[in-house]
Amino acid sequence: MFEGKVSLTGIKPTGTPHLGNLLGAIMPVVKMSNLAKKTYVFVADLHALNAVKDIKAIKENSYEVAATYLAMGINMEKTVLFRQSDIPEVPQLSSLLMNVTPKGLMNRAHAYKAAVDKNTEKGEDPDAGINMGLYTYPILMAADILLYKSDVVPVGQDQKQHVEFARDIAGSFNYIYGDILTVPEPVIPPDAASVPGLDGRKMSKSYNNYIPIFTDEKNLKKLIMRIITDSKTPEEPKDPDDSTIFQIYRAFASDAEIAELRAKFEKGGMGYGEAKQILFEKVNACLKEPREKYNHLISHPKEIDEILAAGAAEARVEAKKTLQSVLSAMLG
Ligand code: TRP
């Protein structure tokens, strides 16, 4: 699926990465970085701007995102890791692509439509509070994808439409100007795991039910002990597939370990406290080493800056080439 391909993914710096992000997006990309010919991974700070005006938060979250990929062992021999805003060709291409993007396409974007629906429900003007950054978000994302001639874009279900828009935009550009842009393919990574949060709903920043990946050992334990369970006694058999504890465990453990814990759930005789302890030990063992690496990087942001600067320099080589061919196709 990824062999021989150029793969690209962007992550918005809008919150401290949590276990849901790790299992659903970060680990699939880390694994893919060993398979793909080349992987572009960038911190999509320009994409945060339509919603976030807190400069310090964007800066800190950007370091956290970059440090997370580095700590989890992304294959840096084949990965270009950079900050989106270090590539001036991104907004340049985005602005050129506006001319081949139908306005109607943007009207159909899920995020924009959701914002309009919300306003309409409240009886407000449909476009109240919606800025052009939100409205043109998919064009900026198309520029990200098309600039580096990406073949595949691993994304979650929620971002699939955006990659399809990038395909449409590349298609209409190529139809008018000739075969210049590589038409990308969205890929939902088969090994992406969706995990519940502390309250059993999907783990999400907006539900405030999440476990930050690199929180310290003591807090990790505290959060795991806070997972909501039903009121079954230790003796009673339990349904693992209905348990948040088991759902998180299975994303970290080996097949044999998963089978063992499943049996303990089904047999009865294990209380939720004991199951939580088993979960804590597993998660902690998996994250101990990356946590040390992460903490080192976060306290040495200059090291992250150097890596991101080298990544940007490399990414810009490809970006300049694409921008140049687009400009000469459009203006001669
Ligand atoms: N929109 C993506 C998100 O919200 C982030 C993103 C920006 C992205 N540019 C991208 C993802 C290009 C994939 C490819 O998560």
Side-chain angles (χ1 to χ4, degrees):
M1 191 184 271
F2 299 118
E3 280 82 0
K5 303 270 175 76
V6 175
S7 164
L8 168 135
T9 195
I11 313 90
K12 264 196 301 192
T14 50
T16 298
H18 56 66
L19 291 189
N21 304 132
L22 181 73
L23 302 164
I26 298 169
M27 280 323 285
V29 169
V30 168
K31 286 186 206 152
M32 188 195 65
S33 71
N34 293 311
L35 304 174
K37 182 169 77 180
K38 193 165 202 169
T39 299
Y40 289 93
V41 178
F42 63 93
V43 183
D45 52 355
L46 297 176
H47 272 111
L49 291 175
N50 74 76
V52 189
K53 315 292 182 197
D54 179 343
I55 305 166
K56 197 166 155 263
I58 295 182
K59 226 186 162 94
E60 278 175 10
N61 289 326
S62 294
Y63 280 129
E64 289 172 356
V65 167
T68 301
Y69 277 94
L70 291 165
M72 294 315 300
I74 196 157
N75 184 341
M76 285 304 285
E77 276 171 32
K78 296 197 287 175
T79 298
V80 187
L81 180 67
F82 60 102
R83 208 187 251 122
Q84 183 189 31
S85 59
D86 284 339
I87 318 292
E89 289 77 13
V90 171
Q92 287 181 55
L93 181 61
S94 173
S95 127
L96 293 168
L97 293 175
M98 304 248 174
N99 302 294
V100 297
T101 305
K103 178 166 175 285
L105 194 66
M106 298 301 98
N107 292 340
R108 291 205 298 276
H110 297 322
Y112 172 67
K113 266 177 41 183
V116 167
D117 287 349
K118 214 166 161 188
N119 282 332
T120 313
E121 249 169 56
K122 284 196 280 184
E124 287 184 23
D125 181 275
D127 281 324
I130 300 177
N131 58 44
M132 288 304 285
L134 174 68
Y135 191 61
T136 59
Y137 186 105
I139 312 178
L140 183 61
M141 186 155 154
D144 287 327
I145 296 171
L146 300 174
L147 205 47
Y148 315 100
K149 305 188 174 66
S150 317
D151 301 304
V152 286
V153 184
V155 282
Q157 192 59 41
D158 64 316
Q159 294 296 316
K160 195 160 169 248
Q161 187 197 38
H162 286 146
V163 185
E164 280 157 2
F165 282 0
R167 284 175 67 84
D168 290 344
I169 293 170
S172 64
F173 184 94
N174 287 348
Y175 182 76
I176 303 168
Y177 295 108
D179 222 355
I180 306 241
L181 298 172
T182 302
V183 181
E185 197 80 59
V187 177
I188 312 270
D191 55 352
S194 165
V195 289
L198 302 178
D199 59 359
R201 291 185 290 175
K202 182 181 156 68
M203 189 179 289
S204 157
K205 195 183 95 173
S206 43
Y207 294 151
N208 199 18
N209 63 355
Y210 63 92
I211 303 178
I213 306 171
F214 298 117
T215 190
D216 63 53
E217 214 169 292
K218 213 170 119 205
N219 196 45
L220 177 65
K221 186 161 182 175
K222 203 168 98 191
L223 289 172
I224 287 177
M225 291 302 160
R226 219 185 268 164
I227 291 174
I228 294 174
T229 62
D230 58 30
S231 51
K232 290 209 170 76
T233 63
E235 294 71 38
E236 281 179 87
K238 300 168 183 68
D239 180 3
D241 298 313
D242 199 31
S243 160
T244 299
I245 303 169
F246 187 76
Q247 297 314 309
I248 300 178
Y249 185 80
R250 73 189 300 167
F252 285 93
S254 68
D255 287 349
E257 290 166 332
I258 297 170
E260 197 180 319
L261 191 65
R262 174 178 285 282
K264 278 192 174 169
F265 265 83
E266 289 170 347
K267 202 168 109 233
M270 174 185 65
Y272 284 122
E274 188 186 338
K276 286 176 179 179
Q277 182 64 32
I278 294 171
L279 173 63
F280 161 70
E281 273 160 24
K282 185 76 224 167
V283 175
N284 193 46
C286 292
L287 294 180
K288 206 174 168 64
E289 227 174 277
R291 189 192 296 133
E292 281 163 20
K293 221 163 144 186
Y294 177 88
N295 287 339
H296 171 86
L297 287 164
I298 287 296
S299 50
H300 298 82
K302 274 219 170 76
E303 288 183 25
I304 307 177
D305 281 332
E306 274 169 30
I307 295 169
L308 293 177
E314 189 177 346
R316 280 195 81 186
V317 174
E318 201 57 50
K320 280 183 185 160
K321 278 194 222 158
T322 305
L323 184 69
Q324 202 45 58
S325 12
V326 165
L327 273 173
S328 40
M330 294 179 98
L331 293 167

